[in-house]
Amino acid sequence: MSRRLVNLTLDTLEDLPRPCRQCVYWELDPVSAERACATGDPGLDKEAWVSQTLLEWGSCGKLVYVDGMPAGFVMYAPPAYVPRSMAFPTSPVSADAALLTTAKVVPAFVGGGLGRMLVQGVARDLTKRGIKAIEAFGDAKPDEEKEGACVAPVDFFLSVGFKTVRPHPRYPRLRLELRTALSWKSDVEYALEKLLGSMSPEKLLRPMPATSSMEN
């Protein structure tokens, strides 16, 4: 099973799940988002937001593919690019952090470590830009109303290493220090470590058999 992590672009935007491709919950303020959904084309607003953010700030999302199939994604940006962020009771986001807005793994792929893979990809990207942390608003009661589907569950963020920095009964704010995320071992490293650990020193140190010819 092959897994591939790529940046969100205007081309890969089309691989977001259809409801998410049309959703502007985070990209517009609450009034504008409601108006866009009622009378406009929210998909165009989403595309315009991604285009502007890419031009002005850079990469603002990651997608993961499993055997060529879109299996999950995350989106992130500075709080100034996310009008909805100021509507939360636990705002504002800390000055040294970027905001992870949306995180979703396709149900068929849940439990395979893709969420952590996505978050670590974000951490690598943001570290190169000198950002210290990722923050997010989590939903502590994700099953109570459909609107909450745009806010990832608190349990997801806790499972990938976030810590609560401002509690709230519904929308706590959570934080992940980037140096913590970058210290995680990738699944490949972990698998290799298990393989090497299962081998005896004799096998590890045994010289490779000689070959009769060399490849060019």
Side-chain angles (χ1 to χ4, degrees):
M1 182 179 294
S2 66
R3 303 193 299 181
R4 181 169 59 98
L5 194 66
V6 305
N7 288 333
L8 177 70
T9 65
L10 293 179
D11 294 326
T12 57
L13 180 63
E14 299 306 318
D15 285 339
L16 265 58
R18 184 52 47 186
C20 301
R21 173 63 180 86
Q22 299 293 320
C23 177
V24 288
Y25 178 86
W26 291 100
E27 292 81 3
L28 301 176
D29 65 80
V31 174
S32 298
E34 185 175 350
R35 184 184 303 119
C37 293
T39 62
D41 184 345
L44 290 178
D45 291 304
K46 182 100 169 186
E47 183 175 326
W49 183 90
V50 170
S51 178
Q52 179 182 2
T53 306
L54 285 171
L55 287 172
E56 297 180 357
W57 186 65
S59 179
C60 57
K62 301 283 183 185
L63 291 91
V64 63
Y65 295 81
V66 175
D67 292 338
M69 296 289 294
F73 76 98
V74 292
M75 294 183 68
Y76 54 96
Y81 283 78
V82 187
R84 173 74 65 164
S85 66
M86 293 307 298
F88 284 82
T90 49
S91 64
V93 172
S94 302
D96 64 347
L99 176 63
L100 195 157
T101 58
T102 307
K104 184 175 181 63
V105 174
V106 175
F109 297 101
V110 169
L114 298 183
R116 180 162 289 213
M117 182 179 178
L118 285 162
V119 171
Q120 190 170 40
V122 175
R124 289 195 187 100
D125 178 38
L126 295 179
T127 298
K128 295 175 183 176
R129 305 194 215 184
I131 296 173
K132 303 295 185 183
I134 313 169
E135 292 192 357
F137 299 104
D139 190 348
K141 303 175 182 179
D143 298 325
E144 285 198 358
E145 55 184 81
K146 290 184 178 180
E147 183 180 353
C150 301
V151 185
V154 168
D155 288 348
F156 168 80
F157 292 115
L158 295 176
S159 72
V160 295
F162 280 72
K163 306 294 183 185
T164 301
V165 290
R166 189 170 177 189
H168 186 269
R170 182 66 190 268
Y171 295 118
R173 179 159 50 90
L174 303 100
R175 179 180 174 96
L176 176 65
E177 302 293 336
L178 294 187
R179 63 177 181 272
T180 300
L182 292 176
S183 71
W184 296 335
K185 294 177 180 176
S186 70
D187 291 341
V188 173
E189 290 171 320
Y190 179 71
L192 180 60
E193 184 179 77
K194 285 187 66 177
L195 173 64
L196 294 178
S198 67
M199 297 178 69
S200 67
E202 291 80 8
K203 290 181 179 178
L204 290 173
L205 297 175
R206 183 177 301 165
M208 294 291 292
T211 57
S212 59
S213 63
M214 296 182 64
E215 294 181 355
N216 293 327

